[in-house]
Amino acid sequence: MALRFFNTYSRELEEFEPRDPAARTIGIYTCGPTVYSHAHIGNFRAYIFEDLLQRHLELRGYKAHRVMNITDVDDKTIRGAREAKVPLARFTEQFKQAFFEDVETLRIKRADEFPAATDQRYTDRMIEMIGALIARGLAYQADDKSVYFRINKFPNYGKLAHFDLSQLQSTGRVKHDEYDKEHIGDFALWKAWDEEDGDVKWDSPWGPGRPGWHIECSAMATALLGDQIDIHCGGVDNIFPHHEAEIAQSEGVTGKKFVRYWLHCAHLLVDGQKMAKSLGNFYTVPDVLAKGYTGRELRYALLRVHYRVPLNFTWEGMHEARESLGRIDEWLTRLREIAQEENVQRSTSNAQSPIEKSDFENSLDDDLNISAALGFLFESIRETNRAMDENKLDAASAKAWLDWWKRINTVLDLEADVEIMIPTEVAQLAKERENARREKNWERSDELRDQISALGWEVRDTKDRPKLTRRGAE
Ligand code: AMP
Ligand code: ZN
């Protein structure tokens, strides 16, 4: 099956055709964090979906050139710095650092570039773009000295959000970065300085001020990826007004189609509501770690549902993530044991070889259908476990499965950091239990099983020998 994505612009599944098929390098722009607070795990659902996208493209032989911006000046960051009574740069720095730590914890591939909106290279570009929009009649300076985009001069305005263009009425002007669909209006490109901005200001042909949030992304995206981008991503809340504005600004300047494929992920929910800072219903990555879960478990919990399906965050879901990963860990341990065997005759190796299997990749080709891909992984685990239980998987097959895992794990990145170590105390009790069983002392054997269980481990008797797994990991 050809690679295809659901394009928000057309609201259709479209076959993926990169802008430059020969180069096989895909330009991807992903809206990054607004560093006015610690990013919450809802934000990380978006970043994990983008990570999945990049890794799958790479598995399919493309090279990704991914840019993720850092919004370090906007209404929210300025308000935060003012309330904390610290300079803007110092205020945002702590959240930038926290963001990069969380990216690492969740095993998200770092973008190739993380441009910051306050970098002069980009503020210069913003001013240049606003100048070009004014020159084309697409923008104007209003009485309040701010510069606004004139939406009724851009015929495609509203296409991404699928507004009825014939009904589109501007309600005037909006200076805020964020507003809802009831307040569609000419939006701010350049915000004239006012007292609330403190010392946050840049000189411009329109007087001192600062850029609007939307022009920041248009400037950074076109500066680093060129006038035309293959894929642009974000959460669904970015569609309007942010991405709608990005299209108007970028195409208004370049006259070229800005983005080929718009991909948006559905929200992470809590009790059916969007997880959001403003609603106070959010968890950060450190909050989840403090509950005893690992970054790998959270990665799995946020990754496992198709990106266009809303995902409800629950602690039960975290527990399920732990169990699923436990199944993968145990499967890998068993495969590794068999793969190391030499000269062991197995009756047959009738478990299917994974070499020809491409269901995992094919599922991801279908608009990143991770649920189907994981379903296939767990079905394969069940099949091979059965073969191993019956002594029907030989070393060559085990190696082939391990190679297959290595390939798909370039996308999943879900392998345990360290091989699971069995504590000596547990190993000793297991040995004693084996002796008791050999002597057919079932009472003693059961006693030892209970002791092992009290230490958090479980013994499973297989044909070969008893196997130990962490409790709750199956
Ligand atoms: P922000 O820091 O608010 O600009 O958001 C950064 C990214 O996280 C954007 O792509 C948002 O669309 C996305 N986002 C925000 N909240 C959620 C959520 N609850 N679920 C999924 N993505 C979200
Ligand atoms: Zn953006």
Side-chain angles (χ1 to χ4, degrees):
M1 185 202 289
L3 181 54
R4 55 183 198 160
F5 297 124
F6 183 85
N7 191 344
T8 308
Y9 201 82
S10 64
R11 298 284 200 278
E12 274 174 17
L13 278 168
E14 291 178 14
E15 198 166 308
F16 180 61
E17 285 166 18
R19 206 171 64 81
D20 181 359
R24 292 194 75 78
T25 297
I26 311 296
I28 308 176
Y29 188 85
T30 49
C31 285
T34 305
V35 279
Y36 74 111
S37 71
H38 205 127
H40 58 68
I41 58 172
N43 301 129
F44 282 100
R45 181 186 193 198
Y47 307 142
I48 283 182
F49 133 68
E50 291 153 1
D51 182 58
L52 173 67
L53 169 69
Q54 171 170 359
R55 287 168 182 266
H56 182 57
L57 286 168
E58 288 170 352
L59 183 74
R60 283 303 193 200
Y62 293 106
K63 196 180 166 323
H65 178 193
R66 186 154 72 89
V67 174
M68 178 179 274
N69 71 293
I70 306 280
T71 303
D72 59 356
V73 56
D74 79 324
D75 297 348
K76 291 189 278 197
T77 44
I78 291 177
R79 196 184 316 126
R82 195 176 62 235
E83 283 167 10
K85 297 191 172 53
V86 290
L88 181 66
R90 176 134 52 95
F91 177 72
T92 55
E93 186 53 37
Q94 55 187 319
F95 301 118
K96 270 188 213 178
Q97 271 181 26
F99 166 73
F100 286 115
E101 276 166 29
D102 292 349
V103 161
E104 183 100 16
T105 303
L106 294 176
R107 306 179 176 191
I108 294 171
K109 266 195 172 184
R110 288 175 68 101
D112 298 280
E113 277 147 308
F114 287 102
T118 53
D119 185 325
Q120 201 192 328
R121 272 174 294 177
Y122 308 119
T123 46
D124 285 353
R125 167 107 185 124
M126 294 167 208
I127 290 171
E128 184 191 311
M129 287 181 85
I130 296 169
L133 291 171
I134 293 176
R136 287 189 190 148
L138 286 162
Y140 59 93
Q141 186 168 27
D143 298 341
D144 67 356
K145 300 262 188 286
S146 294
V147 179
Y148 293 87
F149 190 96
R150 201 189 300 274
I151 59 169
N152 64 10
K153 281 274 173 173
F154 185 75
N156 285 339
Y157 191 82
K159 271 206 172 159
L160 180 72
H162 284 227
F163 294 147
D164 180 349
L165 304 192
S166 63
Q167 301 287 311
L168 199 71
Q169 285 283 338
S170 168
T171 57
R173 290 181 203 124
V174 252
K175 198 172 169 188
H176 299 303
D177 287 331
E178 287 175 281
Y179 50 93
D180 54 31
K181 291 176 184 173
E182 277 65 56
H183 296 93
I184 297 170
D186 291 356
F187 60 87
L189 298 166
W190 187 259
K191 303 187 184 194
W193 181 86
D194 70 29
E195 271 175 24
E196 305 244 291
D197 293 341
D199 59 0
V200 181
K201 58 175 187 280
W202 285 263
D203 285 331
S204 81
W206 317 286
R210 62 183 172 97
W213 172 38
H214 316 307
I215 194 73
E216 294 178 8
C217 276
S218 283
M220 291 185 271
T222 53
L224 292 165
L225 293 168
D227 294 346
Q228 294 182 287
I229 297 173
D230 287 295
I231 306 176
H232 194 315
C233 308
V236 285
D237 56 311
N238 282 158
I239 298 173
F240 184 84
H242 188 50
H243 290 165
E244 195 69 63
E246 273 191 52
I247 295 174
Q249 299 159 154
S250 308
E251 297 188 2
V253 171
T254 68
K256 296 180 198 150
K257 190 163 175 65
F258 177 44
V259 169
R260 292 172 74 82
Y261 301 88
W262 284 97
L263 270 58
H264 291 100
C265 80
H267 283 144
L268 184 69
L269 310 176
V270 186
D271 299 327
Q273 260 195 320
K274 177 190 172 189
M275 181 176 286
K277 184 86 187 160
S278 57
L279 297 172
N281 62 353
F282 64 95
Y283 297 104
T284 62
V285 174
D287 289 340
V288 176
L289 299 185
K291 292 258 186 188
Y293 289 99
T294 62
R296 178 173 81 120
E297 288 163 345
L298 181 54
R299 175 179 175 81
Y300 183 87
L302 295 176
L303 180 74
R304 73 193 164 92
V305 170
H306 189 280
Y307 75 94
R308 283 196 290 119
V309 177
L311 168 61
N312 209 23
F313 179 78
T314 60
W315 294 109
E316 198 185 320
M318 285 304 301
H319 182 71
E320 282 164 21
R322 173 168 291 177
E323 289 190 332
S324 302
L325 290 172
R327 274 214 292 283
I328 296 175
D329 294 344
E330 196 211 347
W331 176 66
L332 291 173
T333 307
R334 293 183 81 181
L335 285 173
R336 285 187 188 119
E337 277 172 15
I338 294 178
Q340 278 165 13
E341 286 177 353
E342 282 170 27
N343 306 319
V344 175
Q345 292 297 315
R346 303 266 174 192
S347 49
T348 49
S349 60
N350 69 345
Q352 270 184 298
S353 161
I355 292 163
E356 301 301 322
K357 283 187 195 269
S358 47
D359 309 42
F360 184 89
E361 293 93 316
N362 289 348
S363 303
L364 292 180
D365 278 353
D366 184 16
D367 195 30
L368 303 176
N369 192 345
I370 187 71
S371 338
L374 288 171
F376 176 70
L377 166 65
F378 284 106
E379 191 188 301
S380 304
I381 290 179
R382 263 194 304 279
E383 239 175 60
T384 34
N385 274 341
R386 198 176 313 123
M388 288 192 276
D389 288 344
E390 292 169 0
N391 244 333
K392 286 181 178 167
L393 198 97
D394 62 14
S397 306
K399 276 188 197 133
W401 277 106
L402 287 168
D403 285 344
W404 178 74
W405 164 256
K406 207 166 157 189
R407 187 169 86 235
I408 68 167
N409 194 46
T410 60
V411 174
L412 298 173
D413 205 348
L414 287 174
E415 198 160 312
D417 273 329
V418 277
E419 297 239 345
I420 297 162
M421 304 291 287
I422 300 168
T424 27
E425 195 184 353
V426 174
Q428 183 59 33
L429 290 169
K431 213 180 234 166
E432 275 178 50
R433 183 174 167 275
E434 249 184 291
N435 292 338
R437 279 169 60 83
R438 214 169 289 130
E439 290 160 19
K440 301 202 186 321
N441 185 349
W442 307 121
E443 212 180 290
R444 175 78 186 134
S445 154
D446 285 349
E447 232 174 65
L448 286 158
R449 178 195 284 274
D450 292 345
Q451 284 181 34
I452 291 168
S453 169
L455 291 170
W457 290 75
E458 212 152 271
V459 196
R460 195 168 41 83
D461 295 305
T462 67
K463 257 191 179 165
D464 280 340
R465 64 192 137 99
K467 295 274 164 69
L468 283 165
T469 47
R470 266 200 308 214
R471 271 183 51 212
E474 265 198 301

